Amino acid sequence: MVSSAVKKYAALCMVCLCSSLFFLGLYQFNNKYSQNTIQAANGILALSEEELQKSPMRFLVSGWAFYPDALLTPEEIRDESHYMRYLSIGEHTNFSSPANPSPYGCGTYQMTFFLPERKEAYALEIPEVFSAYNLYLDHDLILQMGEPAQGTPLVQNRMVTFHGGKPVTLTIAVSNYDHFYGGIVYPPAFGTMLAVNTTRGIRFAFCLFSCTVTFVCALLSFYFSRRMKQKNTFLFGLICLAMCGLSSYPVLHMLAAAPVFPWYTIELFCIYLVTWLIVVLQNRICRPGFLPAAISNGVGAAFLVYAFVYGMMASHLSLGAIRFFSASVFCYKAASALYLLIIAVLAIHRGEKRSRPIFYAAAAATCAFIWDRLLPVYEPVIGGWFVEWGSFFIAAAIGYSLWRDVIEGYGNSLIFQEERKQVIRQLSMQTEYSRQVSEAAAENRRLIHDIKHHLRTIDRMASEHGQTEICSFLLQVEEQVAASLGHSHVAFCKNPVVNALIEYYYGMAQTQGTEFQVRLDLPDQIPLTDVELCTVLGNLLDNAVEACSRQKQGVRRILVAGETRGNMYFLKIENTYDGLTLQEGKTFLSRKGASADHGIGLSSVRKIIEGHGGDLDLVPGEESFLVGITIQMQKLFSKEHSDNIDKT
């Protein structure tokens, strides 16, 4: 017990350590704000040839000249009559200031580049800006997104190019009256055209891959949920579909310009839909109890509606309402992470099925939330945010648990189909057996009817003719009766259902020239039902007949023997074969061609035998293949004991 607990806590510590190292690695190497590159100072970025070769791309975080509350052109900035201060992107995510405590307003950003003399092509990537803006290079307006004068934004990830060889001044005039993120929220990327395009291409490929994978997972989940009637799989499909929606936004922002609303509302809805569905699914898998599940599901649904309403009304809310929503988001994320971890721990202690991967994923998600709050400003170069990675870990763990259930259910379905085929085959053989019995009975009735006529003829001939003719006629009748009764059914055992099954394979074996020997004793105490007996014998005899049919030389022989020894029943089926077997590990597979049902027959037999506490042994020899079954007999009460029980 102690050893098991120690292993669990050690595994938990290892998961927390690995996840922490993962997030610290993301922060250090996949963060726009932690790039060890030369930044601008006082509105000027001067780069040498060596610096560009060492770092061909950088994110313009610091050193921006900023003109608040003014939508300026480069010519208007020259008169130096406007108030200016220097700031860093990410330091202020809106236009808020002590004088203007609001995300709404306007401002102008400016930076001057001093680049090497050679005329190399450079690229500037402007990420999603939730504001309308004009972009100038020197005095030329080269890009306009939305209507800055009216503050009507369009969101798109854009890239502009220019040549070096002379100082270049970049001016971005921004206005916002619709979104609580005002100004340039994410730092632009600057570098050689090759470096910027490479980063954009990798980011686009990553987002497209994520979108495609989640969409395919959603389709597979919906398919299996409909095929196997599993609600959990359907809910997981909804999670994948919501994550696909989140993954698609960077792709859409790189391909086309779109208004902020309603797309931002849909994105916000998808974020909290994923969180709510994860809580619902984990409740269904970990089963914390009705009351905790009902409360957590209800709170998640309420917050989902709350986030949707907020997204629809964000452009009309005050700064206080926006800050209240941010605080409630923090509380909800913290409570969700803690709740998911607690119910996973409790599920582990209760020994709930499939709970261990979810437990470790919940621990990793908790680490994601903690590091998201402990570390300074973070924005990924490629990939998702910390909380998004945490949601991915839990979704992947839930998907893994559900996928194992689907695989197990699909395997059981295949076994069921094989058993159904065997039952249908059994019924077919019973029908054929009944037909033969009916034909024999009809022949006997016809024979008896004819004998009556023959007896009348004998009586008439006895009165008209001598004894010689009577004897001769009786001899002919005897021969006819003997010929009619020549066909008889072999009784292999006392069980009529099993007897019909063995007779069927007996006929198949004789048709292909195989010697078929049966020494089968089936007592009433055997724990298998008739269907189970036919499934076991049918699969094993089917394999035996099929193996003999592939035998090119030697005597073909099948032996079926069963006997009782004490409280145990021993069944043996042995057949000659060509000495070749198809095997995966310790599992023998069928050689009936390229089929998805390889080994299903033996798997079905093994499941039935082991389900009754028996053993199945497969022994391949040089010339014969032996299948041995050992199973314990049922204990039957004596009649006297049963009578005593009835009286009691």
Side-chain angles (χ1 to χ4, degrees):
M1 234 12 224
V2 177
S3 177
S4 177
V6 169
K7 289 181 179 178
K8 290 179 182 178
Y9 287 117
L12 176 62
C13 293
M14 184 60 66
V15 169
C16 293
L17 177 61
C18 292
S19 57
S20 297
L21 291 175
F22 174 76
F23 293 120
L24 289 173
L26 288 180
Y27 178 80
Q28 183 63 37
F29 302 105
N30 192 42
N31 185 9
K32 294 181 179 180
Y33 298 95
S34 63
Q35 300 293 311
N36 188 21
T37 56
I38 294 178
Q39 294 288 320
N42 300 327
I44 297 174
L45 178 63
L47 298 174
S48 64
E49 186 75 33
E50 293 77 16
E51 291 167 344
L52 278 171
Q53 290 180 355
K54 183 180 179 180
S55 302
M57 193 191 77
R58 67 204 65 238
F59 293 95
L60 305 178
V61 177
S62 57
W64 287 90
F66 180 64
Y67 300 84
D69 303 319
L71 200 64
L72 305 175
T73 65
E75 289 81 5
E76 292 172 336
I77 294 177
R78 282 188 169 185
D79 63 12
E80 299 182 354
S81 62
H82 302 279
Y83 171 75
M84 185 270 291
R85 69 175 191 261
Y86 297 105
L87 56 74
S88 298
I89 304 296
E91 179 183 351
H92 300 288
T93 58
N94 50 50
F95 297 120
S96 309
S97 66
N100 182 27
S102 171
Y104 309 124
C106 59
T108 303
Y109 301 79
Q110 191 174 73
M111 182 177 292
T112 300
F113 299 90
F114 288 89
L115 303 171
E117 292 294 330
R118 62 185 179 92
K119 293 184 178 181
E120 184 177 353
Y122 297 95
L124 179 71
E125 181 191 35
I126 309 296
E128 295 90 343
V129 178
F130 302 100
S131 309
Y133 65 90
N134 290 328
L135 189 148
Y136 302 87
L137 281 179
D138 292 331
H139 304 285
D140 301 325
L141 177 64
I142 64 172
L143 178 62
Q144 179 177 340
M145 294 297 295
E147 297 292 339
Q150 288 79 28
T152 306
L154 288 175
V155 181
Q156 188 179 11
N157 187 306
R158 297 296 298 269
M159 187 181 73
V160 297
T161 60
F162 59 93
H163 291 277
K166 63 175 183 176
V168 178
T169 299
L170 171 68
T171 305
I172 307 176
V174 185
S175 66
N176 172 55
Y177 300 98
D178 285 330
H179 203 275
F180 61 88
Y181 287 148
I184 302 177
V185 181
Y186 308 128
F190 168 77
T192 62
M193 187 178 295
L194 176 62
V196 175
N197 275 326
T198 300
T199 303
R200 282 171 57 88
I202 295 174
R203 187 190 305 126
F204 181 84
F206 178 84
C207 295
L208 187 61
F209 174 78
S210 301
C211 184
T212 304
V213 170
T214 51
F215 184 72
V216 171
C217 288
L219 292 180
L220 289 175
S221 299
F222 293 147
Y223 170 77
F224 282 110
S225 69
R226 184 176 181 182
R227 180 82 178 264
M228 306 182 70
K229 309 298 182 184
Q230 290 187 352
K231 188 176 180 180
N232 289 353
T233 309
F234 177 78
L235 293 175
F236 181 73
L238 292 180
I239 291 179
C240 293
L241 198 61
M243 296 183 74
C244 175
L246 291 176
S247 303
S248 66
Y249 273 92
V251 177
L252 296 176
H253 287 168
M254 293 186 71
L255 296 177
V260 176
F261 298 97
W263 302 110
Y264 172 76
T265 305
I266 298 174
E267 183 179 8
L268 199 66
F269 180 80
C270 288
I271 292 173
Y272 295 106
L273 178 62
V274 170
T275 305
W276 177 61
L277 289 174
I278 285 176
V279 172
V280 171
L281 256 179
Q282 189 161 334
N283 280 334
R284 293 177 63 89
I285 295 174
C286 297
R287 294 183 287 186
F290 174 77
L291 188 60
I295 293 175
S296 59
N297 293 343
V299 171
F303 197 90
L304 180 63
V305 175
Y306 171 56
F308 180 79
V309 173
Y310 171 81
M312 294 293 294
M313 302 181 62
S315 60
H316 307 287
L317 297 177
S318 64
L319 183 61
I322 294 173
R323 288 175 175 173
F324 178 80
F325 178 76
S326 297
S328 60
V329 166
F330 170 78
C331 295
Y332 177 69
K333 288 181 177 178
S336 298
L338 184 61
Y339 175 76
L340 293 175
L341 183 62
I342 290 175
I343 66 172
V345 171
L346 295 177
I348 286 288
H349 284 290
R350 290 195 308 270
E352 292 289 345
K353 187 181 180 183
R354 315 298 193 206
S355 60
R356 191 177 297 273
I358 299 176
F359 168 64
Y360 296 139
T366 304
C367 290
F369 176 79
I370 293 174
W371 286 114
D372 182 65
R373 295 298 161 180
L374 291 179
L375 294 175
V377 62
Y378 170 80
E379 182 192 350
V381 179
I382 298 167
W385 305 80
F386 284 179
V387 178
E388 291 177 348
W389 279 107
S391 299
F392 169 76
F393 291 149
I394 296 182
I398 293 174
Y400 171 75
S401 299
L402 295 178
W403 183 250
R404 289 186 62 180
D405 292 338
V406 168
I407 294 297
E408 183 178 344
Y410 186 70
N412 292 334
S413 175
L414 291 178
I415 293 174
F416 174 76
Q417 291 177 11
E418 181 65 24
E419 292 177 351
R420 182 174 175 272
K421 291 179 183 178
Q422 192 64 45
V423 171
I424 293 174
R425 184 183 300 171
Q426 171 198 339
L427 293 175
S428 176
M429 289 183 293
Q430 287 181 325
T431 303
E432 177 65 19
Y433 182 77
S434 299
R435 187 189 62 80
Q436 294 176 1
V437 171
S438 299
E439 290 180 355
E443 178 68 19
N444 289 335
R445 288 193 299 270
R446 187 189 62 79
L447 182 60
I448 293 173
H449 183 269
D450 292 343
I451 288 175
K452 291 179 181 179
H453 293 288
H454 295 324
L455 291 175
R456 294 189 187 120
T457 303
I458 293 171
D459 183 65
R460 189 170 56 252
M461 293 177 66
S463 61
E464 296 176 359
H465 303 282
Q467 296 293 329
T468 304
E469 294 181 13
I470 294 175
C471 293
S472 176
F473 188 81
L474 288 176
L475 181 61
Q476 294 177 12
V477 172
E478 185 180 355
E479 291 175 353
Q480 185 178 357
V481 172
S484 300
L485 298 177
H487 176 71
S488 62
H489 295 273
V490 182
F492 297 103
C493 65
K494 295 183 292 184
N495 190 315
V497 177
V498 176
N499 195 79
L501 178 74
I502 296 177
E503 186 174 11
Y504 173 80
Y505 286 104
Y506 178 83
M508 289 181 60
Q510 287 198 329
T511 302
Q512 68 182 29
T514 300
E515 180 183 346
F516 200 104
Q517 301 177 10
V518 180
R519 298 193 299 271
L520 185 61
D521 177 30
L522 282 178
D524 296 333
Q525 297 93 327
I526 193 167
L528 304 181
T529 64
D530 286 349
V531 173
E532 291 175 330
L533 277 171
C534 289
T535 300
V536 171
L537 288 171
N539 280 303
L540 297 180
L541 289 176
D542 194 56
N543 292 339
V545 172
E546 189 263 339
C548 288
S549 67
R550 290 195 309 270
Q551 189 178 341
K552 303 299 183 183
Q553 58 185 2
V555 179
R556 299 175 178 177
R557 183 176 63 256
I558 298 175
L559 171 63
V560 181
E563 62 177 342
T564 304
R565 300 177 188 173
N567 196 36
M568 304 298 294
Y569 183 78
F570 299 90
L571 176 64
K572 178 178 74 173
I573 297 180
E574 186 177 8
N575 62 272
T576 57
Y577 74 126
D578 57 7
L580 301 177
T581 59
L582 185 60
Q583 196 172 350
E584 281 187 5
K586 298 181 179 180
T587 304
F588 291 90
L589 305 180
S590 173
R591 293 169 57 196
K592 300 175 182 177
S595 171
D597 298 338
H598 279 315
I600 296 297
L602 282 176
S603 176
S604 179
V605 172
R606 187 179 298 277
K607 182 180 179 181
I608 292 173
I609 298 301
E610 293 180 352
H612 289 281
D615 296 318
L616 174 66
D617 298 315
L618 307 175
V619 185
E622 294 183 0
E623 298 181 352
S624 63
F625 192 96
L626 174 64
V627 179
I629 293 175
T630 306
I631 192 166
Q632 189 174 7
M633 303 286 282
Q634 288 180 336
K635 295 182 181 180
L636 298 180
F637 294 106
S638 64
K639 187 177 185 305
E640 293 81 7
H641 187 63
S642 299
D643 293 339
N644 292 334
I645 293 177
D646 294 337
K647 292 177 182 178
T648 304

